[in-house]
């Protein structure tokens, strides 16, 4: 990626597949990352999100690792923390919508956490490769809430000091792909 006019927090961000297995997140690092998510915008300020975070070595971390899929088990356990990202869809089990924008808002809160992590010299990889049903049962997810994704947070290991190449669709495609009458 070579777009130097982007803010460094976006320019340098990438999702690593290798984390430093010795790095440890401090309690205040965790607070700062959660604050970043907390201050994300949301529809009607509903804040329809929750984050179950366990640092490597902390009680409960091993249970999260046990629910990783084969692919993520190769790299996510080495991250300094694993976060389960949950969205609040319905009011308890009433069938009444809590927020129409729960997934959208959760994604935005995770993005805030990701950018904050980058500013702290950390990196995040969001992922879906885990046992969704098993994790719901393990954590006793409340009625109306849903697990969407997990995030691995830590210090990336880079073989040669440069981030891996990142691919994106073109700006033209971005502007036209979603509508038939541009
Ligand atoms: C909702 C979501 C789900 C993802 N699921 C996985 C996954 O299951 N496994 C994985 O290795 N990466 C996963 N990723 C990471 C993406 O593959 C990665 O963000 C994408 O390739 C772009 O790379 P970059 O973040 O370095 O720019 C996921 C990302 C998002 C946002």
């Amino acid at each position: 990626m070579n777009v130097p006019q982007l803010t460094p927090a976006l320019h340098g961000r990438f999702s690593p597949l290798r984390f430093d297995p010795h790095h440890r997140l401090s309690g205040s690092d965790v607070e700062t990352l959660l604050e970043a998510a907390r201050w994300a915008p949301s529809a009607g300020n509903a804040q329809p999100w929750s984050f179950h975070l366990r640092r490597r070595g902390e009680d409960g971390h091993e249970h999260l690792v046990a629910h990783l899929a084969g692919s993520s088990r190769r790299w996510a356990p080495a991250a300094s923390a694993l976060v389960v990202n949950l969205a609040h869809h319905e009011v308890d089990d009433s069938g009444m919508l809590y927020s129409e924008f729960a997934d959208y808002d959760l994604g935005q809160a995770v993005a805030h956490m990701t950018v904050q992590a980058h500013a702290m010299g950390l990196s995040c990889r969001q992922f879906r490769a885990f046992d969704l049903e098993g994790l719901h049962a393990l954590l006793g997810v409340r009625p109306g809430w849903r697990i969407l994704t997990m995030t691995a947070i830590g210090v990336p290991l880079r073989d040669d000091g440069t981030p891996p190449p990142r691919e994106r669709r073109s700006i033209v495609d971005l502007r036209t792909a979603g509508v038939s009458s541009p």
Side-chain angles (χ1 to χ4, degrees):
M1 179 187 181
N2 185 24
V3 192
Q5 62 270 36
L6 282 185
T7 181
L10 298 177
H11 187 244
R13 187 205 62 78
F14 74 106
S15 302
L17 279 169
R18 293 184 63 216
F19 288 95
D20 179 351
H22 304 295
H23 174 263
R24 295 200 173 272
L25 272 187
S26 69
S28 81
D29 287 340
V30 169
E31 291 295 310
T32 305
L33 291 164
L34 292 172
E35 283 288 358
R38 182 169 170 241
W39 289 100
S42 60
N45 202 19
Q47 305 165 61
W49 47 59
S50 178
F51 303 94
H52 174 83
L53 185 152
R54 287 291 178 271
R55 288 177 282 176
R56 188 175 8 79
E58 209 166 50
D59 272 359
H61 179 266
E62 75 279 17
H63 300 311
L64 299 183
V65 168
H67 286 80
L68 297 177
S71 59
S72 54
R73 199 172 294 195
R74 284 197 282 275
W75 50 267
S80 311
L82 292 173
V83 191
V84 181
N85 303 314
L86 300 104
H88 194 180
H89 282 263
E90 289 172 8
V91 179
D92 301 323
D93 49 7
S94 66
M96 269 171 51
L97 208 54
Y98 176 78
S99 172
E100 179 188 353
F101 298 101
D103 292 356
Y104 183 100
D105 290 343
L106 173 66
Q108 186 148 221
V110 174
H112 274 225
M113 192 186 289
T114 297
V115 171
Q116 177 64 40
H118 184 73
M120 294 161 68
L122 302 165
S123 291
C124 296
R125 189 173 187 101
Q126 301 165 47
F127 62 101
R128 168 59 187 89
F130 56 85
D131 171 8
L132 182 65
E133 296 307 317
L135 212 48
H136 265 256
L138 173 78
L139 300 178
V141 171
R142 295 184 197 282
W145 287 82
R146 262 185 244 158
I147 297 171
L148 264 286
T149 52
M150 293 179 69
T151 310
I153 307 177
V155 170
L157 283 180
R158 294 174 186 166
D159 295 333
D160 60 0
T162 54
R166 295 166 65 216
E167 302 291 335
R168 287 300 187 269
R169 286 157 45 211
S170 72
I171 291 275
V172 172
D173 191 40
L174 214 64
R175 295 174 70 143
T176 57
V179 291
S180 56
S181 309

